[in-house]
């Protein structure tokens, strides 16, 4: 949470600079776009991470797609997360997990279900809504547009059946570690890549799609070069030079889409969630070990339920 507060302060300062610069799409400055997008009361959308990795001449495709229904006040979020893998010409394997977060009468409760088993847990922490942020195309879109420099309106095009303006800019290299961690954008390669791995990275290009109402409705980042750089430092750090032990990234994409907004969302829990097994509450004193915020990062990053210990969970290519 401290890192989240830190990056929020950095982005607030950056936004003031962009607002003064007056980058525009018709009447929409970046500040206008941010203001209109932050004002959304509810929305639906998706976040997709996809990569193709090569190991010993064999290609493996990994994909994580999360579908989100979100209501700001009272707070409610439902995300359905499907993770899939496909090796070479083999069959695709996939599984889906679900999560609800809601606040009722000031009480925060998280519900998580996988393979027909559901758990619920009261969460008494200030950053409860942050738990679902990496699955949130609106919050990620705001993060990317606030952190990007040199934003330019590249003109109008069609995006997801909508007329949009496509903005392009670059996220400075010295911000990438925090931005990638906050957004969960590199989650498919692991969760223990810290700032030291970013020593050779370049500025990262980002495309942001803004509709005619001045609202962010999507984004796209080709993270192939960034992920390749991170993996290179990973192997260098661990003294791995044998090509047979090295995984390379042929492709890595991070994309988000807002499908509709301010039309209301269904805030009804499923029957299974309502009958979930209750777990001990998470408080501010124990949230670093067991909060839903930690759980969401672990599950998304490697496609398994590793909510208890995440310290060694970097891509399987790393230390083996």
């Amino acid at each position: 949470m401290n890192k989240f507060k830190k990056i929020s302060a950095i982005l607030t300062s950056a936004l003031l600079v962009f607002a003064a610069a007056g980058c525009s799409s018709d009447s929409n400055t970046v500040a206008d776009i941010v203001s209109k997008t932050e004002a959304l009361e509810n929305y639906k959308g998706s976040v997709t991470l996809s990569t193709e990795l090569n190991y010993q001449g064999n290609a493996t495709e990994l994909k994580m797609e999360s579908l989100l229904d979100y209501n700001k006040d009272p707070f409610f979020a439902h995300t359905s997360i499907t993770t899939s893998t496909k090796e070479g010409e083999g069959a695709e394997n996939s599984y889906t997990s679900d999560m609800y977060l809601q606040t009722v009468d000031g009480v925060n409760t998280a519900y998580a279900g996988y393979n027909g088993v559901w758990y619920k847990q009261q969460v008494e922490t200030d950053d409860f809504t942050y738990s679902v942020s990496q699955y949130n195309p609106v919050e990620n879109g705001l993060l990317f547009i606030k952190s990007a420099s040199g934003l330019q309106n590249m003109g109008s095009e069609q995006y997801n059946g909508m007329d949009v303006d496509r903005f392009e800019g670059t996220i400075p290299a010295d911000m990438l570690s925090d931005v990638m961690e906050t957004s969960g954008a590199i989650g498919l390669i692991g969760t223990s890549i810290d700032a030291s791995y970013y020593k050779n990275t370049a500025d990262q290009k980002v495309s942001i799609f803004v509709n005619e109402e001045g609202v962010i409705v999507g984004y796209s980042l080709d993270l192939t070069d960034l992920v390749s750089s991170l993996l290179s430092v990973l192997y260098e750090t661990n003294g791995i030079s044998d090509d047979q032990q090295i995984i390379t990234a042929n492709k890595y994409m991070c994309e988000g889409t807002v499908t509709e907004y301010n039309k209301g969302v269904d805030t009804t829990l499923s029957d299974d969630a309502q009958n979930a097994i209750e777990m001990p509450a998470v408080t501010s004193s124990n949230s670093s070990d067991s909060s839903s915020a930690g759980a969401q990062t672990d599950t998304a990053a490697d496609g398994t339920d590793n909510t208890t210990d995440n310290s060694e969970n970097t891509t399987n290519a790393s230390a083996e």
Side-chain angles (χ1 to χ4, degrees):
M1 186 60 183
N2 288 336
K3 180 161 286 188
F4 178 64
K5 291 179 179 177
K6 172 187 173 184
I7 196 170
S8 295
I10 294 173
L11 297 183
T12 298
S13 298
L15 179 59
L16 294 175
V17 173
F18 295 136
C23 177
S24 64
S25 166
D26 295 327
S27 61
N28 292 318
T29 65
V30 172
D32 290 332
I33 294 168
V34 168
S35 177
K36 292 173 182 178
T37 305
E38 288 180 335
L40 298 182
E41 294 296 325
N42 55 73
Y43 44 85
K44 297 181 180 181
S46 64
V47 171
T48 302
L49 306 179
S50 58
T51 186
E52 180 181 296
L53 303 174
N54 189 285
Y55 179 61
Q56 294 183 348
N58 299 313
T60 298
E61 297 177 13
L62 305 176
K63 183 177 181 179
M64 186 197 76
E65 181 178 28
S66 58
L67 305 177
L68 176 72
D69 291 355
Y70 188 96
N71 190 74
K72 185 178 293 183
D73 188 20
F75 173 68
F76 172 89
H78 173 218
T79 183
S80 178
I81 307 160
T82 300
T83 303
S84 61
T85 61
K86 184 177 184 297
E87 297 186 12
E89 299 300 320
E92 180 179 276
N93 297 309
S94 66
Y95 73 85
T96 300
S97 59
D98 278 273
M99 179 169 63
Y100 292 93
L101 302 176
Q102 68 172 8
T103 302
V104 178
D105 296 330
V107 178
N108 303 324
T109 307
Y111 303 80
Y114 172 66
N115 202 25
V117 180
W118 279 82
Y119 297 92
K120 69 177 180 180
Q121 189 172 46
Q122 287 190 16
V123 183
E124 302 170 8
T125 59
D126 294 336
D127 57 345
F128 179 62
T129 61
Y130 179 61
S131 304
V132 75
S133 62
Q134 75 177 45
Y135 311 121
N136 191 323
V138 170
E139 292 188 2
N140 281 345
L142 286 166
L143 172 67
F144 295 142
I145 199 170
K146 290 179 182 180
S147 59
S149 64
L151 279 167
Q152 296 289 328
N153 184 352
M154 308 305 292
S156 299
E157 60 184 68
Q158 280 282 306
Y159 175 80
N160 197 35
M162 296 177 282
D163 293 324
V164 301
D165 284 342
R166 175 168 57 89
F167 284 79
E168 287 189 358
T170 56
I171 302 171
D174 60 0
M175 293 183 67
L176 279 175
S177 176
D178 284 345
V179 171
M180 292 298 106
E181 180 177 346
T182 301
S183 65
I186 60 166
L188 289 179
I189 64 167
T191 57
S192 57
I193 293 180
D194 60 31
S196 66
Y197 289 88
Y198 288 78
K199 62 182 182 179
N200 297 327
T201 56
D203 294 350
Q204 173 62 49
K205 179 180 175 181
V206 58
S207 295
I208 299 169
F209 305 98
V210 179
N211 70 5
E212 294 177 323
E213 296 180 346
V215 173
I216 297 172
V217 292
Y219 58 81
S220 177
L221 296 87
D222 185 340
L223 299 175
T224 307
D225 289 343
L226 171 62
V227 168
S228 295
S229 176
L230 295 176
L231 290 176
S232 177
V233 175
L234 177 70
Y235 297 129
E236 177 187 331
T237 302
N238 288 278
I240 299 174
S241 58
D242 184 354
D243 289 343
Q244 294 299 305
Q245 298 298 316
I246 290 178
I247 288 179
T248 56
N250 299 333
K251 180 187 74 171
Y252 194 111
M253 296 296 300
C254 171
E255 299 164 295
T257 302
V258 180
T259 54
E260 64 179 60
Y261 57 84
N262 289 348
K263 294 183 178 180
V265 297
D266 184 359
T267 60
T268 305
L269 297 176
S270 68
D271 290 341
D272 288 338
Q274 293 182 50
N275 295 308
I277 301 167
E278 187 156 7
M279 303 293 288
V282 174
T283 65
S284 57
S285 61
N286 64 13
S287 62
S288 61
D289 295 326
S290 56
S291 72
S292 60
Q296 57 93 21
T297 301
D298 296 339
T299 302
D302 64 353
T304 58
D305 183 8
N306 291 327
T307 59
T308 57
D309 186 0
N310 176 35
S311 60
E312 297 299 327
N313 182 32
T314 307
T315 305
N316 291 337
S318 61
E320 296 181 357

